CSV table of all heavy atoms in Angstrom, one decimal:
chain,number,residue,atom,x,y,z
B,843,MET,N,55.9,-88.9,-21.3
B,843,MET,CA,55.2,-88.3,-22.4
B,843,MET,C,55.2,-89.2,-23.6
B,843,MET,O,56.1,-89.8,-24.0
B,843,MET,CB,56.0,-87.0,-22.7
B,843,MET,CG,55.4,-86.2,-23.8
B,843,MET,SD,56.3,-84.7,-24.0
B,843,MET,CE,55.1,-83.7,-24.7
B,844,LYS,N,54.0,-89.2,-24.2
B,844,LYS,CA,53.8,-90.1,-25.4
B,844,LYS,C,54.4,-89.5,-26.6
B,844,LYS,O,54.5,-88.2,-26.7
B,844,LYS,CB,52.3,-90.2,-25.7
B,844,LYS,CG,51.5,-91.0,-24.7
B,844,LYS,CD,50.1,-91.1,-25.2
B,844,LYS,CE,49.3,-92.1,-24.4
B,844,LYS,NZ,47.9,-92.2,-24.9
B,845,LYS,N,54.8,-90.3,-27.5
B,845,LYS,CA,55.4,-89.9,-28.8
B,845,LYS,C,54.5,-90.5,-29.9
B,845,LYS,O,54.1,-91.6,-29.8
B,845,LYS,CB,56.8,-90.4,-29.0
B,845,LYS,CG,57.8,-89.7,-28.2
B,845,LYS,CD,59.2,-90.2,-28.5
B,845,LYS,CE,60.3,-89.3,-27.9
B,845,LYS,NZ,61.6,-89.7,-28.4
B,846,LEU,N,54.3,-89.7,-30.9
B,846,LEU,CA,53.6,-90.2,-32.1
B,846,LEU,C,54.7,-90.9,-33.0
B,846,LEU,O,55.6,-90.3,-33.5
B,846,LEU,CB,53.0,-89.0,-32.9
B,846,LEU,CG,52.2,-89.3,-34.1
B,846,LEU,CD1,51.0,-90.3,-33.7
B,846,LEU,CD2,51.6,-88.1,-34.8
B,847,GLN,N,54.5,-92.2,-33.1
B,847,GLN,CA,55.4,-93.0,-33.9
B,847,GLN,C,54.7,-94.1,-34.6
B,847,GLN,O,53.6,-94.5,-34.2
B,847,GLN,CB,56.6,-93.5,-33.1
B,847,GLN,CG,56.1,-94.2,-31.8
B,847,GLN,CD,57.3,-94.4,-30.9
B,847,GLN,OE1,58.4,-93.9,-31.1
B,847,GLN,NE2,57.0,-95.2,-29.8
B,848,LYS,N,55.3,-94.7,-35.6
B,848,LYS,CA,54.6,-95.8,-36.3
B,848,LYS,C,54.5,-97.0,-35.4
B,848,LYS,O,55.3,-97.2,-34.4
B,848,LYS,CB,55.5,-96.2,-37.5
B,848,LYS,CG,55.5,-95.2,-38.6
B,848,LYS,CD,56.4,-95.6,-39.7
B,848,LYS,CE,56.6,-94.5,-40.7
B,848,LYS,NZ,57.5,-95.0,-41.8
B,849,SER,N,53.5,-97.8,-35.6
B,849,SER,CA,53.2,-98.9,-34.7
B,849,SER,C,53.6,-100.2,-35.3
B,849,SER,O,53.8,-100.4,-36.5
B,849,SER,CB,51.7,-98.9,-34.5
B,849,SER,OG,51.3,-100.0,-33.8
B,850,LEU,N,53.8,-101.2,-34.4
B,850,LEU,CA,54.0,-102.6,-34.9
B,850,LEU,C,52.7,-103.2,-35.4
B,850,LEU,O,52.8,-104.1,-36.2
B,850,LEU,CB,54.5,-103.4,-33.7
B,850,LEU,CG,55.9,-103.1,-33.2
B,850,LEU,CD1,56.2,-103.9,-31.9
B,850,LEU,CD2,56.9,-103.4,-34.2
B,851,ASP,N,51.6,-102.7,-34.9
B,851,ASP,CA,50.3,-103.1,-35.4
B,851,ASP,C,50.0,-102.4,-36.7
B,851,ASP,O,49.3,-101.3,-36.7
B,851,ASP,CB,49.2,-102.8,-34.3
B,851,ASP,CG,47.8,-103.3,-34.8
B,851,ASP,OD1,47.7,-104.1,-35.7
B,851,ASP,OD2,46.9,-102.8,-34.2
B,852,LYS,N,50.5,-102.9,-37.8
B,852,LYS,CA,50.4,-102.2,-39.1
B,852,LYS,C,49.8,-103.0,-40.2
B,852,LYS,O,49.9,-104.2,-40.2
B,852,LYS,CB,51.7,-101.6,-39.5
B,852,LYS,CG,52.7,-102.7,-39.8
B,852,LYS,CD,54.1,-102.1,-40.2
B,852,LYS,CE,55.1,-103.1,-40.5
B,852,LYS,NZ,56.3,-102.5,-41.0
B,853,GLN,N,49.1,-102.3,-41.1
B,853,GLN,CA,48.6,-102.9,-42.3
B,853,GLN,C,49.4,-102.4,-43.5
B,853,GLN,O,49.7,-103.3,-44.3
B,853,GLN,CB,47.1,-102.5,-42.5
B,853,GLN,CG,46.2,-103.0,-41.4
B,853,GLN,CD,46.1,-104.5,-41.4
B,853,GLN,OE1,46.0,-105.1,-42.4
B,853,GLN,NE2,46.1,-105.1,-40.2
B,854,LEU,N,49.7,-101.2,-43.6
B,854,LEU,CA,50.5,-100.6,-44.6
B,854,LEU,C,51.9,-100.2,-44.1
B,854,LEU,O,52.9,-100.9,-44.2
B,854,LEU,CB,49.8,-99.5,-45.4
B,854,LEU,CG,48.6,-99.9,-46.2
B,854,LEU,CD1,48.0,-98.6,-46.8
B,854,LEU,CD2,49.0,-100.8,-47.3
B,855,CYS,N,51.9,-99.0,-43.5
B,855,CYS,CA,53.1,-98.4,-43.0
B,855,CYS,C,53.1,-98.2,-41.4
B,855,CYS,O,54.1,-97.8,-40.9
B,855,CYS,CB,53.4,-97.1,-43.6
B,855,CYS,SG,53.7,-97.2,-45.4
B,856,GLY,N,52.0,-98.5,-40.8
B,856,GLY,CA,51.9,-98.3,-39.3
B,856,GLY,C,51.4,-96.9,-38.9
B,856,GLY,O,51.5,-96.6,-37.7
B,857,VAL,N,51.0,-96.1,-39.8
B,857,VAL,CA,50.6,-94.8,-39.5
B,857,VAL,C,49.3,-94.8,-38.7
B,857,VAL,O,49.2,-94.2,-37.6
B,857,VAL,CB,50.4,-93.9,-40.8
B,857,VAL,CG1,49.8,-92.5,-40.4
B,857,VAL,CG2,51.7,-93.7,-41.5
B,858,CYS,N,48.3,-95.4,-39.1
B,858,CYS,CA,47.0,-95.5,-38.4
B,858,CYS,C,47.2,-96.2,-37.0
B,858,CYS,O,46.6,-95.7,-36.0
B,858,CYS,CB,45.9,-96.2,-39.2
B,858,CYS,SG,45.4,-95.2,-40.7
B,859,GLY,N,47.9,-97.2,-37.0
B,859,GLY,CA,48.2,-97.9,-35.7
B,859,GLY,C,49.0,-97.0,-34.8
B,859,GLY,O,48.7,-97.0,-33.6
B,860,GLY,N,49.9,-96.2,-35.3
B,860,GLY,CA,50.6,-95.3,-34.4
B,860,GLY,C,49.7,-94.2,-33.9
B,860,GLY,O,49.8,-93.8,-32.7
B,861,ILE,N,48.8,-93.6,-34.7
B,861,ILE,CA,47.9,-92.6,-34.3
B,861,ILE,C,46.9,-93.2,-33.2
B,861,ILE,O,46.6,-92.6,-32.2
B,861,ILE,CB,47.1,-92.1,-35.5
B,861,ILE,CG1,48.0,-91.2,-36.4
B,861,ILE,CG2,45.9,-91.2,-35.0
B,861,ILE,CD1,47.5,-90.8,-37.7
B,862,ALA,N,46.5,-94.5,-33.5
B,862,ALA,CA,45.6,-95.1,-32.5
B,862,ALA,C,46.3,-95.3,-31.1
B,862,ALA,O,45.7,-95.1,-30.1
B,862,ALA,CB,45.1,-96.4,-33.1
B,863,ASN,N,47.6,-95.7,-31.2
B,863,ASN,CA,48.3,-95.9,-29.9
B,863,ASN,C,48.5,-94.6,-29.2
B,863,ASN,O,48.3,-94.5,-28.0
B,863,ASN,CB,49.7,-96.5,-30.2
B,863,ASN,CG,49.7,-97.9,-30.6
B,863,ASN,OD1,48.7,-98.6,-30.3
B,863,ASN,ND2,50.7,-98.4,-31.2
B,864,TYR,N,48.7,-93.5,-29.9
B,864,TYR,CA,48.9,-92.2,-29.3
B,864,TYR,C,47.6,-91.7,-28.7
B,864,TYR,O,47.6,-91.1,-27.6
B,864,TYR,CB,49.3,-91.2,-30.4
B,864,TYR,CG,49.6,-89.8,-29.9
B,864,TYR,CD1,50.8,-89.6,-29.2
B,864,TYR,CD2,48.7,-88.8,-30.1
B,864,TYR,CE1,51.1,-88.3,-28.7
B,864,TYR,CE2,49.0,-87.5,-29.6
B,864,TYR,CZ,50.2,-87.3,-28.9
B,864,TYR,OH,50.5,-86.0,-28.4
B,865,LEU,N,46.4,-92.0,-29.3
B,865,LEU,CA,45.1,-91.5,-28.8
B,865,LEU,C,44.5,-92.6,-27.9
B,865,LEU,O,43.4,-92.3,-27.4
B,865,LEU,CB,44.2,-91.3,-30.0
B,865,LEU,CG,44.6,-90.1,-31.0
B,865,LEU,CD1,43.7,-90.0,-32.1
B,865,LEU,CD2,44.7,-88.8,-30.2
B,866,ASP,N,45.1,-93.7,-27.7
B,866,ASP,CA,44.5,-94.8,-26.9
B,866,ASP,C,43.1,-95.3,-27.4
B,866,ASP,O,42.2,-95.4,-26.6
B,866,ASP,CB,44.4,-94.4,-25.4
B,866,ASP,CG,45.8,-94.4,-24.8
B,866,ASP,OD1,46.7,-95.1,-25.2
B,866,ASP,OD2,46.0,-93.5,-23.8
B,867,VAL,N,43.0,-95.5,-28.7
B,867,VAL,CA,41.8,-96.0,-29.3
B,867,VAL,C,42.2,-97.3,-30.1
B,867,VAL,O,43.4,-97.6,-30.3
B,867,VAL,CB,41.1,-95.0,-30.2
B,867,VAL,CG1,40.6,-93.9,-29.3
B,867,VAL,CG2,41.9,-94.5,-31.3
B,868,ASP,N,41.2,-98.0,-30.6
B,868,ASP,CA,41.3,-99.2,-31.4
B,868,ASP,C,41.9,-98.8,-32.7
B,868,ASP,O,41.3,-97.9,-33.4
B,868,ASP,CB,40.0,-99.9,-31.5
B,868,ASP,CG,40.1,-101.3,-32.2
B,868,ASP,OD1,41.2,-101.9,-32.1
B,868,ASP,OD2,39.1,-101.7,-32.8
B,869,PRO,N,43.0,-99.5,-33.2
B,869,PRO,CA,43.5,-99.2,-34.5
B,869,PRO,C,42.5,-99.4,-35.7
B,869,PRO,O,42.5,-98.6,-36.6
B,869,PRO,CB,44.7,-100.1,-34.7
B,869,PRO,CG,45.0,-100.5,-33.3
B,869,PRO,CD,43.8,-100.4,-32.5
B,870,THR,N,41.6,-100.3,-35.5
B,870,THR,CA,40.6,-100.5,-36.6
B,870,THR,C,39.7,-99.3,-36.7
B,870,THR,O,39.3,-99.0,-37.8
B,870,THR,CB,39.8,-101.8,-36.2
B,870,THR,OG1,40.7,-102.9,-36.1
B,870,THR,CG2,38.8,-102.1,-37.3
B,871,LEU,N,39.4,-98.7,-35.6
B,871,LEU,CA,38.5,-97.5,-35.6
B,871,LEU,C,39.2,-96.4,-36.4
B,871,LEU,O,38.6,-95.7,-37.3
B,871,LEU,CB,38.2,-97.0,-34.2
B,871,LEU,CG,37.4,-95.8,-34.1
B,871,LEU,CD1,36.0,-96.0,-34.7
B,871,LEU,CD2,37.3,-95.3,-32.7
B,872,VAL,N,40.5,-96.2,-36.2
B,872,VAL,CA,41.3,-95.1,-36.9
B,872,VAL,C,41.3,-95.5,-38.4
B,872,VAL,O,41.2,-94.6,-39.2
B,872,VAL,CB,42.7,-95.0,-36.3
B,872,VAL,CG1,43.5,-94.0,-37.1
B,872,VAL,CG2,42.6,-94.5,-34.8
B,873,ARG,N,41.6,-96.7,-38.7
B,873,ARG,CA,41.7,-97.1,-40.1
B,873,ARG,C,40.3,-96.9,-40.8
B,873,ARG,O,40.3,-96.4,-42.0
B,873,ARG,CB,42.1,-98.6,-40.2
B,873,ARG,CG,43.5,-98.8,-39.8
B,873,ARG,CD,43.9,-100.3,-39.9
B,873,ARG,NE,45.2,-100.5,-39.4
B,873,ARG,CZ,45.5,-101.2,-38.3
B,873,ARG,NH1,44.6,-101.8,-37.7
B,873,ARG,NH2,46.7,-101.3,-37.9
B,874,VAL,N,39.2,-97.3,-40.2
B,874,VAL,CA,37.9,-97.1,-40.8
B,874,VAL,C,37.6,-95.6,-41.0
B,874,VAL,O,37.2,-95.2,-42.0
B,874,VAL,CB,36.8,-97.8,-40.0
B,874,VAL,CG1,35.4,-97.4,-40.4
B,874,VAL,CG2,37.0,-99.3,-40.0
B,875,LEU,N,37.9,-94.8,-39.9
B,875,LEU,CA,37.7,-93.3,-40.1
B,875,LEU,C,38.5,-92.8,-41.2
B,875,LEU,O,38.0,-91.9,-41.9
B,875,LEU,CB,38.0,-92.7,-38.7
B,875,LEU,CG,36.9,-92.9,-37.6
B,875,LEU,CD1,37.4,-92.2,-36.3
B,875,LEU,CD2,35.6,-92.2,-38.0
B,876,TRP,N,39.8,-93.2,-41.2
B,876,TRP,CA,40.6,-92.7,-42.3
B,876,TRP,C,40.1,-93.0,-43.7
B,876,TRP,O,40.0,-92.2,-44.6
B,876,TRP,CB,42.1,-93.2,-42.2
B,876,TRP,CG,42.9,-92.8,-43.3
B,876,TRP,CD1,43.6,-91.6,-43.5
B,876,TRP,CD2,43.3,-93.6,-44.5
B,876,TRP,NE1,44.2,-91.6,-44.7
B,876,TRP,CE2,44.1,-92.8,-45.3
B,876,TRP,CE3,42.9,-94.9,-44.9
B,876,TRP,CZ2,44.5,-93.3,-46.5
B,876,TRP,CZ3,43.4,-95.3,-46.1
B,876,TRP,CH2,44.2,-94.5,-46.9
B,877,ALA,N,39.6,-94.3,-43.8
B,877,ALA,CA,39.1,-94.7,-45.1
B,877,ALA,C,37.9,-94.0,-45.5
B,877,ALA,O,37.7,-93.5,-46.7
B,877,ALA,CB,38.8,-96.2,-45.1
B,878,VAL,N,37.0,-93.8,-44.6
B,878,VAL,CA,35.7,-93.1,-44.8
B,878,VAL,C,36.0,-91.6,-45.2
B,878,VAL,O,35.5,-91.1,-46.2
B,878,VAL,CB,34.8,-93.2,-43.6
B,878,VAL,CG1,33.6,-92.2,-43.8
B,878,VAL,CG2,34.3,-94.6,-43.5
B,879,LEU,N,36.9,-90.9,-44.4
B,879,LEU,CA,37.2,-89.6,-44.7
B,879,LEU,C,37.9,-89.4,-46.1
B,879,LEU,O,37.7,-88.5,-46.8
B,879,LEU,CB,38.1,-89.0,-43.6
B,879,LEU,CG,37.3,-88.7,-42.3
B,879,LEU,CD1,38.3,-88.3,-41.2
B,879,LEU,CD2,36.3,-87.7,-42.5
B,880,THR,N,38.8,-90.4,-46.4
B,880,THR,CA,39.5,-90.4,-47.7
B,880,THR,C,38.5,-90.5,-48.8
B,880,THR,O,38.6,-89.8,-49.8
B,880,THR,CB,40.6,-91.4,-47.7
B,880,THR,OG1,41.5,-91.2,-46.7
B,880,THR,CG2,41.3,-91.5,-49.0
B,881,LEU,N,37.6,-91.4,-48.7
B,881,LEU,CA,36.6,-91.7,-49.8
B,881,LEU,C,35.7,-90.5,-50.0
B,881,LEU,O,35.3,-90.2,-51.1
B,881,LEU,CB,35.8,-92.9,-49.5
B,881,LEU,CG,36.6,-94.2,-49.6
B,881,LEU,CD1,35.7,-95.4,-49.2
B,881,LEU,CD2,37.1,-94.5,-51.0
B,882,PHE,N,35.3,-89.8,-48.9
B,882,PHE,CA,34.4,-88.7,-49.0
B,882,PHE,C,35.1,-87.4,-49.3
B,882,PHE,O,34.4,-86.4,-49.5
B,882,PHE,CB,33.5,-88.6,-47.8
B,882,PHE,CG,32.4,-89.7,-47.7
B,882,PHE,CD1,32.5,-90.6,-46.8
B,882,PHE,CD2,31.4,-89.7,-48.7
B,882,PHE,CE1,31.5,-91.6,-46.7
B,882,PHE,CE2,30.5,-90.7,-48.7
B,882,PHE,CZ,30.5,-91.6,-47.7
B,883,SER,N,36.4,-87.3,-49.4
B,883,SER,CA,37.1,-86.1,-49.7
B,883,SER,C,37.8,-86.2,-51.0
B,883,SER,O,38.9,-85.7,-51.2
B,883,SER,CB,38.1,-85.8,-48.6
B,883,SER,OG,39.1,-86.7,-48.5
B,884,SER,N,37.3,-87.0,-51.9
B,884,SER,CA,37.8,-87.3,-53.3
B,884,SER,C,39.2,-88.0,-53.2
B,884,SER,O,40.0,-87.9,-54.1
B,884,SER,CB,37.9,-86.0,-54.1
B,884,SER,OG,39.0,-85.2,-53.7
B,885,ALA,N,39.5,-88.7,-52.1
B,885,ALA,CA,40.7,-89.6,-52.0
B,885,ALA,C,42.0,-88.9,-52.0
B,885,ALA,O,42.9,-89.2,-51.2
B,885,ALA,CB,40.6,-90.7,-53.0
B,886,PHE,N,42.2,-87.9,-52.8
B,886,PHE,CA,43.6,-87.3,-53.0
B,886,PHE,C,44.2,-86.7,-51.7
B,886,PHE,O,45.3,-87.1,-51.3
B,886,PHE,CB,43.6,-86.2,-54.1
B,886,PHE,CG,44.9,-85.7,-54.4
B,886,PHE,CD1,45.9,-86.4,-55.0
B,886,PHE,CD2,45.3,-84.4,-54.0
B,886,PHE,CE1,47.1,-86.0,-55.3
B,886,PHE,CE2,46.5,-83.9,-54.2
B,886,PHE,CZ,47.4,-84.7,-54.9
B,887,PRO,N,43.4,-85.9,-50.9
B,887,PRO,CA,44.0,-85.4,-49.7
B,887,PRO,C,44.4,-86.4,-48.6
B,887,PRO,O,45.4,-86.4,-48.0
B,887,PRO,CB,43.0,-84.4,-49.1
B,887,PRO,CG,42.1,-84.1,-50.3
B,887,PRO,CD,42.1,-85.3,-51.2
B,888,GLY,N,43.5,-87.4,-48.5
B,888,GLY,CA,43.7,-88.5,-47.5
B,888,GLY,C,45.0,-89.3,-47.8
B,888,GLY,O,45.7,-89.7,-47.0
B,889,VAL,N,45.1,-89.6,-49.1
B,889,VAL,CA,46.3,-90.4,-49.5
B,889,VAL,C,47.6,-89.6,-49.4
B,889,VAL,O,48.6,-90.1,-48.9
B,889,VAL,CB,46.1,-90.9,-51.0
B,889,VAL,CG1,47.4,-91.5,-51.5
B,889,VAL,CG2,44.9,-91.8,-51.1
B,890,MET,N,47.5,-88.3,-49.7
B,890,MET,CA,48.7,-87.5,-49.6
B,890,MET,C,49.1,-87.3,-48.1
B,890,MET,O,50.3,-87.3,-47.8
B,890,MET,CB,48.5,-86.1,-50.2
B,890,MET,CG,48.3,-86.2,-51.7
B,890,MET,SD,49.7,-87.0,-52.6
B,890,MET,CE,51.0,-85.8,-52.3
B,891,ILE,N,48.1,-87.1,-47.2
B,891,ILE,CA,48.4,-87.0,-45.8
B,891,ILE,C,49.0,-88.3,-45.3
B,891,ILE,O,50.0,-88.3,-44.5
B,891,ILE,CB,47.2,-86.6,-45.0
B,891,ILE,CG1,46.8,-85.1,-45.4
B,891,ILE,CG2,47.4,-86.7,-43.5
B,891,ILE,CD1,45.4,-84.7,-44.9
B,892,TYR,N,48.5,-89.4,-45.7
B,892,TYR,CA,49.0,-90.7,-45.2
B,892,TYR,C,50.4,-90.9,-45.7
B,892,TYR,O,51.3,-91.3,-44.9
B,892,TYR,CB,48.1,-91.8,-45.7
B,892,TYR,CG,48.5,-93.2,-45.1
B,892,TYR,CD1,47.9,-93.6,-44.0
B,892,TYR,CD2,49.5,-94.0,-45.7
B,892,TYR,CE1,48.3,-94.8,-43.4
B,892,TYR,CE2,49.9,-95.2,-45.1
B,892,TYR,CZ,49.2,-95.6,-44.0
B,892,TYR,OH,49.6,-96.8,-43.4
B,893,LEU,N,50.7,-90.6,-46.9
B,893,LEU,CA,52.1,-90.7,-47.5
B,893,LEU,C,53.0,-89.8,-46.7
B,893,LEU,O,54.2,-90.2,-46.4
B,893,LEU,CB,52.1,-90.5,-49.0
B,893,LEU,CG,51.5,-91.5,-49.8
B,893,LEU,CD1,51.4,-91.1,-51.3
B,893,LEU,CD2,52.2,-92.9,-49.7
B,894,ALA,N,52.6,-88.6,-46.5
B,894,ALA,CA,53.5,-87.6,-45.7
B,894,ALA,C,53.8,-88.1,-44.3
B,894,ALA,O,54.9,-88.1,-43.9
B,894,ALA,CB,52.8,-86.2,-45.7
B,895,LEU,N,52.8,-88.7,-43.7
B,895,LEU,CA,53.0,-89.2,-42.3
B,895,LEU,C,53.8,-90.5,-42.4
B,895,LEU,O,54.7,-90.7,-41.5
B,895,LEU,CB,51.6,-89.5,-41.6
B,895,LEU,CG,50.8,-88.3,-41.2
B,895,LEU,CD1,49.5,-88.7,-40.7
B,895,LEU,CD2,51.6,-87.5,-40.1
B,896,ALA,N,53.7,-91.3,-43.4
B,896,ALA,CA,54.5,-92.5,-43.5
B,896,ALA,C,56.0,-92.1,-43.7
B,896,ALA,O,56.8,-92.9,-43.2
B,896,ALA,CB,54.0,-93.3,-44.7
B,897,ILE,N,56.2,-91.0,-44.3
B,897,ILE,CA,57.6,-90.6,-44.5
B,897,ILE,C,58.2,-89.9,-43.2
B,897,ILE,O,59.3,-90.1,-42.8
B,897,ILE,CB,57.7,-89.7,-45.7
B,897,ILE,CG1,57.4,-90.5,-47.0
B,897,ILE,CG2,59.1,-89.0,-45.8
B,897,ILE,CD1,57.2,-89.6,-48.2
B,898,CYS,N,57.3,-89.1,-42.6
B,898,CYS,CA,57.8,-88.2,-41.5
B,898,CYS,C,57.8,-88.8,-40.1
B,898,CYS,O,58.6,-88.5,-39.3
B,898,CYS,CB,56.9,-86.9,-41.5
B,898,CYS,SG,57.1,-85.9,-42.9
B,899,MET,N,56.8,-89.7,-39.9
B,899,MET,CA,56.7,-90.3,-38.5
B,899,MET,C,57.9,-91.3,-38.3
B,899,MET,O,58.2,-92.1,-39.1
B,899,MET,CB,55.4,-91.1,-38.4
B,899,MET,CG,54.2,-90.3,-38.2
B,899,MET,SD,52.6,-91.3,-38.1
B,899,MET,CE,52.8,-92.2,-36.6
B,900,PRO,N,58.5,-91.1,-37.1
B,900,PRO,CA,59.6,-92.0,-36.7
B,900,PRO,C,59.0,-93.4,-36.4
B,900,PRO,O,57.9,-93.6,-36.1
B,900,PRO,CB,60.1,-91.4,-35.4
B,900,PRO,CG,59.0,-90.6,-34.9
B,900,PRO,CD,58.2,-90.2,-36.0
B,901,LYS,N,59.9,-94.4,-36.6
B,901,LYS,CA,59.6,-95.8,-36.3
B,901,LYS,C,59.6,-96.0,-34.8
B,901,LYS,O,60.4,-95.4,-34.1
B,901,LYS,CB,60.5,-96.7,-37.0
B,901,LYS,CG,60.4,-96.7,-38.5
B,901,LYS,CD,61.4,-97.6,-39.2
B,901,LYS,CE,61.3,-97.5,-40.7
B,901,LYS,NZ,62.3,-98.4,-41.3
B,902,ALA,N,58.8,-97.0,-34.4
B,902,ALA,CA,58.8,-97.4,-33.0
B,902,ALA,C,60.1,-98.0,-32.7
B,902,ALA,O,60.7,-98.7,-33.6
B,902,ALA,CB,57.6,-98.3,-32.7
B,903,PRO,N,60.6,-97.9,-31.5
B,903,PRO,CA,61.9,-98.5,-31.1
B,903,PRO,C,62.0,-100.0,-31.4
B,903,PRO,O,63.0,-100.5,-31.8
B,903,PRO,CB,62.1,-98.3,-29.7
B,903,PRO,CG,61.2,-97.1,-29.4
B,903,PRO,CD,60.1,-97.1,-30.4
B,904,GLU,N,60.8,-100.7,-31.3
B,904,GLU,CA,60.8,-102.1,-31.6
B,904,GLU,C,61.0,-102.4,-33.0
B,904,GLU,O,61.6,-103.4,-33.4
B,904,GLU,CB,59.4,-102.7,-31.1
B,904,GLU,CG,59.1,-102.6,-29.7
B,904,GLU,CD,58.5,-101.3,-29.3
B,904,GLU,OE1,58.0,-100.6,-30.1
B,904,GLU,OE2,58.6,-101.0,-28.1
B,905,LEU,N,60.5,-101.5,-33.9
B,905,LEU,CA,60.7,-101.7,-35.3
B,905,LEU,C,62.2,-101.5,-35.7
B,905,LEU,O,62.7,-102.2,-36.6
B,905,LEU,CB,59.9,-100.7,-36.1
B,905,LEU,CG,58.4,-100.9,-36.1
B,905,LEU,CD1,57.6,-99.8,-36.9
B,905,LEU,CD2,58.1,-102.2,-36.9
B,906,ILE,N,62.9,-100.6,-35.0
B,906,ILE,CA,64.3,-100.3,-35.3
B,906,ILE,C,65.1,-101.5,-34.9
B,906,ILE,O,66.0,-102.0,-35.6
B,906,ILE,CB,64.7,-99.0,-34.6
B,906,ILE,CG1,64.0,-97.8,-35.2
B,906,ILE,CG2,66.3,-98.9,-34.8
B,906,ILE,CD1,64.2,-96.6,-34.5
B,907,GLU,N,64.8,-102.1,-33.7
B,907,GLU,CA,65.6,-103.3,-33.2
B,907,GLU,C,65.3,-104.5,-34.1
B,907,GLU,O,66.1,-105.3,-34.2
B,907,GLU,CB,65.2,-103.5,-31.8
B,907,GLU,CG,65.6,-102.4,-30.8
B,907,GLU,CD,65.1,-102.7,-29.4
B,907,GLU,OE1,64.4,-103.7,-29.2
B,907,GLU,OE2,65.3,-101.8,-28.5
B,908,GLU,N,64.1,-104.6,-34.6
B,908,GLU,CA,63.7,-105.7,-35.4
B,908,GLU,C,64.6,-105.8,-36.7
B,908,GLU,O,64.9,-106.9,-37.1
B,908,GLU,CB,62.2,-105.6,-35.8
B,908,GLU,CG,61.5,-106.8,-36.2
B,908,GLU,CD,60.1,-106.5,-36.4
B,908,GLU,OE1,59.7,-106.2,-37.6
B,908,GLU,OE2,59.3,-106.6,-35.4
B,909,LYS,N,65.0,-104.7,-37.2
B,909,LYS,CA,65.8,-104.7,-38.5
B,909,LYS,C,67.3,-105.1,-38.2
B,909,LYS,O,68.0,-105.5,-39.1
B,909,LYS,CB,65.8,-103.3,-39.1
B,909,LYS,CG,64.4,-102.9,-39.4
B,909,LYS,CD,64.2,-103.0,-40.9
B,909,LYS,CE,62.8,-102.5,-41.1
B,909,LYS,NZ,62.3,-102.7,-42.4
B,910,ILE,N,67.8,-105.0,-37.0
B,910,ILE,CA,69.2,-105.2,-36.7
B,910,ILE,C,69.5,-106.7,-36.6
B,910,ILE,O,68.8,-107.6,-36.3
B,910,ILE,CB,69.6,-104.6,-35.3
B,910,ILE,CG1,69.4,-103.1,-35.5
B,910,ILE,CG2,71.0,-104.9,-34.9
B,910,ILE,CD1,69.7,-102.3,-34.2
C-alpha cells in the first residue's frame, strides 16, 4: 500500500514531489498545477494548504536516514 510522504525530489519541502510519487505522475506537472491554482485562487489558500501539508506529511524513510 502506498503512503503519502514527502519526497527526496524536492524544491521546497518535498510536498509536491510526494504527491507526484503517490499519484505516479511527473513532479514538475504537480508543481506547475499547484502554482497555477495558487495564482488563480488569490494565492492565500494554496500557500496555506502547502504549509499545512509540509508540517503534517511524514518524511520519506530515506530522508530520516539521511539525517542520522
Side-chain angles (χ1 to χ4, degrees):
M843 180 175 205
K844 288 183 172 182
K845 286 186 170 185
L846 182 59
Q847 54 193 6
K848 293 180 187 176
S849 173
L850 291 172
D851 180 20
K852 63 182 182 176
Q853 296 295 318
L854 291 175
C855 295
V857 173
C858 291
I861 292 171
N863 287 340
Y864 185 77
L865 298 175
D866 287 328
V867 294
D868 185 29
T870 304
L871 177 65
V872 175
R873 290 181 185 114
V874 169
L875 286 174
W876 174 80
V878 168
L879 289 173
T880 298
L881 290 174
F882 286 113
S883 67
S884 74
F886 186 72
V889 172
M890 293 305 294
I891 291 170
Y892 189 91
L893 290 174
L895 288 173
I897 293 168
C898 295
M899 281 177 70
K901 294 180 182 177
E904 297 86 17
L905 288 175
I906 294 170
E907 292 173 6
E908 203 173 89
K909 301 260 181 185
I910 297 175

